[in-house]
Amino acid sequence: MNLHGDRARYDRATAHLDAPLAIVDLDAFDANADDLVRRAAGKPVRVASKSVRCRGLLERVLARPGFAGIMSYTLAESVWLARSGFEDVLLAYPSADRAGFAELAGDPKLAAAVTVMVDDLAQLELIDRARDGGAQEIRVCLELDTALHLLGGRVRVGARRSPLREPAQLAELARAVAARPGFRVVGLMGYEGHVAGVGDALAGRPLRSRAIRLMQGAARKELAARRAETVRAVRAAVPDLEFVNGGGTGSVQQTAAEEAVTEIAAGSGLYVPRLFDNYTSFRGRPAALFAQPVVRRPGVGVVTVLGGGYPASGAAGPDRLPQPYLPPGLRYDPQEGAGEVQTPLLGGPADDLLIGDRVWFRHAKAGELCERFDVLHLVQGDRVTASVPTYRGEGRTFL
């Protein structure tokens, strides 16, 4: 990557705009989309909307061959997307949104477009209580716990998501859902975040990187066998299963190689935030960036930019902070970090920055950047070709 050339392009493209601002480099975005499709090897990629959070860009990527459907993160978002014309929306997390379930159960088009996540009979009971007279059949997806258990279960590696781990548990719930009026099991999902969302090539940490690769190799092998057995058990209970979803940006090709999986989930690989730099399995191009203006020059080797304190979710740590990206060579003051209203930046390049110049940052995660900005300016070459609202810009803050 030509970082200096990219900085010059982004500065020229947005010279008519005031910072703070956020951009998406469409050439990088489209190249990243092509790479996801290549790695999926013929299996459709379902786009994780929480990693995009912009209807215009969801429409753009879903218009490309190899992409099909959305994986959403709240029921309110799912309903909004379905009403906006998206016809295949899989809600990836259970919900307690009673108003949303009433809306879903009362509208045949919504009920046909949205699939909800279930891993407990109590969730079905909540949906039934929320129906408010709506009689539409609710499409249901079951979630498999993908975590790796070691030492007889005393050590767990992976996110704490579904309580359903064993094939028999999933099959039992599938039968229970099938026997309950008003529900139909259509899908099975398993998100292996400890593989798809954990980089295995950490800069300057070769031993930890090797340990991660060993863990992930063991996790992939164990999960592939258990997922295949689970799919067989669930299909025996509900033969009309429509899809089996798995994967994530960091594990697309490995998950796509599993015969039992019919579609791949990915989203962060479109923007490629900084947490996705540390993978041996793929190399993406940073596509989403934000710029903060220089507003002070406190001394030699220091500039201060407006705002910038946009930490990502997850366990707190330096890796959750945005990365000062362009010009290269800037770093945070360890005593101040990224500030809510102002952020001092240290390093030799600071002396070449003037009041009003921009510093370009990469967010640690993907879609969370859009909770800070109303608009994404779409850049091609050295021009802004369009400006599209984020969810926030459309007045939609779902979480």
Side-chain angles (χ1 to χ4, degrees):
M1 289 183 289
N2 180 356
L3 298 185
H4 295 289
D6 285 342
R7 180 192 173 202
R9 284 196 302 114
Y10 299 149
D11 282 348
R12 285 196 300 271
T14 63
H16 62 295
L17 301 170
D18 286 332
L21 59 87
I23 67 167
V24 170
D25 184 328
L26 289 180
D27 292 332
F29 181 90
D30 290 344
N32 292 334
D34 287 341
D35 189 59
L36 288 172
V37 171
R38 177 190 63 80
R39 292 196 286 139
K43 293 187 176 178
V45 178
R46 184 181 290 273
V47 183
S49 63
K50 81 179 185 69
S51 299
V52 179
R53 303 194 204 195
C54 170
R55 275 200 304 166
L57 289 174
L58 288 173
E59 291 167 352
R60 182 184 183 91
V61 72
L62 285 169
R64 302 177 70 87
F67 291 88
I70 288 176
M71 177 177 282
S72 59
Y73 61 97
T74 74
L75 182 55
E77 180 210 15
S78 305
V79 168
W80 177 63
L81 290 173
R83 290 205 182 282
S84 300
F86 296 95
E87 297 179 348
D88 180 6
V89 183
L90 168 62
L91 174 57
Y93 306 87
S95 176
D97 179 355
R98 291 173 295 180
F101 283 125
E103 192 173 358
L104 194 64
D107 187 316
K109 288 186 177 180
L110 286 181
V114 176
T115 301
V116 305
M117 192 62 61
V118 167
D119 58 31
D120 192 311
L121 283 174
Q123 294 156 353
L124 300 181
E125 294 166 3
L126 185 150
I127 295 171
D128 270 340
R129 291 195 302 271
R131 283 180 181 269
D132 193 28
Q136 296 300 316
E137 185 176 66
I138 303 299
R139 293 167 53 85
V140 168
C141 179
L142 308 181
E143 182 167 2
L144 168 69
D145 171 39
T146 65
L148 175 65
H149 287 189
L150 302 171
L151 301 177
R154 293 190 296 276
V155 175
R156 174 192 177 94
V157 182
R160 297 184 182 276
R161 292 178 62 111
S162 172
L164 305 175
R165 176 173 181 79
E166 300 303 327
Q169 293 176 298
L170 276 294
E172 180 182 1
L173 182 57
R175 285 190 290 269
V177 175
R180 191 174 186 120
F183 296 92
R184 179 161 60 98
V185 177
V186 298
L188 177 69
M189 182 190 114
Y191 171 57
E192 53 271 34
H194 50 302
V195 179
V198 177
D200 63 348
L202 307 180
R205 307 183 71 179
L207 295 180
R208 179 166 177 78
S209 297
R210 176 169 172 75
I212 291 172
R213 287 194 289 273
L214 289 172
M215 175 276 291
Q216 291 179 339
R220 285 195 297 265
K221 182 177 180 181
E222 185 276 335
L223 177 59
R226 183 159 52 88
R227 179 152 43 198
E229 185 180 350
T230 299
V231 171
R232 286 192 295 270
V234 171
R235 287 193 185 279
V238 285
D240 295 331
L241 201 67
E242 295 176 12
F243 64 86
V244 177
N245 182 282
T249 289
S251 68
V252 170
Q253 58 267 53
Q254 293 92 348
T255 307
E258 294 184 35
E259 186 176 350
V261 174
T262 66
E263 64 175 39
I264 307 299
S268 295
L270 295 168
Y271 287 171
V272 187
R274 64 170 294 200
L275 284 178
F276 284 82
D277 286 348
N278 304 317
Y279 286 81
T280 56
S281 61
F282 80 104
R283 285 286 184 273
R285 291 172 56 183
L289 300 96
F290 67 93
Q292 305 295 112
V294 173
V295 292
R296 284 178 169 162
R297 291 171 49 88
V300 175
V302 185
V303 291
T304 301
V305 298
L306 180 70
Y310 308 153
S313 60
D319 65 335
R320 301 290 145 165
L321 297 179
Q323 175 193 29
Y325 182 55
L326 301 173
L330 293 173
R331 65 187 186 278
Y332 292 116
D333 182 333
Q335 296 185 43
E336 296 198 46
E340 178 187 11
V341 178
Q342 68 169 31
T343 298
L345 296 171
L346 313 180
D351 292 332
D352 296 323
L353 291 169
L354 305 177
I355 300 296
D357 285 351
R358 281 110 188 251
V359 175
W360 293 90
F361 291 78
R362 295 171 65 198
H363 205 275
K365 298 180 81 171
E368 292 181 20
L369 167 66
C370 295
E371 298 299 334
R372 300 288 184 167
F373 292 91
D374 292 344
V375 171
L376 295 175
H377 301 287
L378 308 184
V379 172
Q380 285 188 296
D382 61 358
R383 294 188 305 117
V384 170
T385 58
S387 297
V388 292
T390 61
Y391 280 10
R392 169 177 159 162
E394 296 199 69
R396 306 288 175 167
T397 51
F398 295 108
L399 280 177

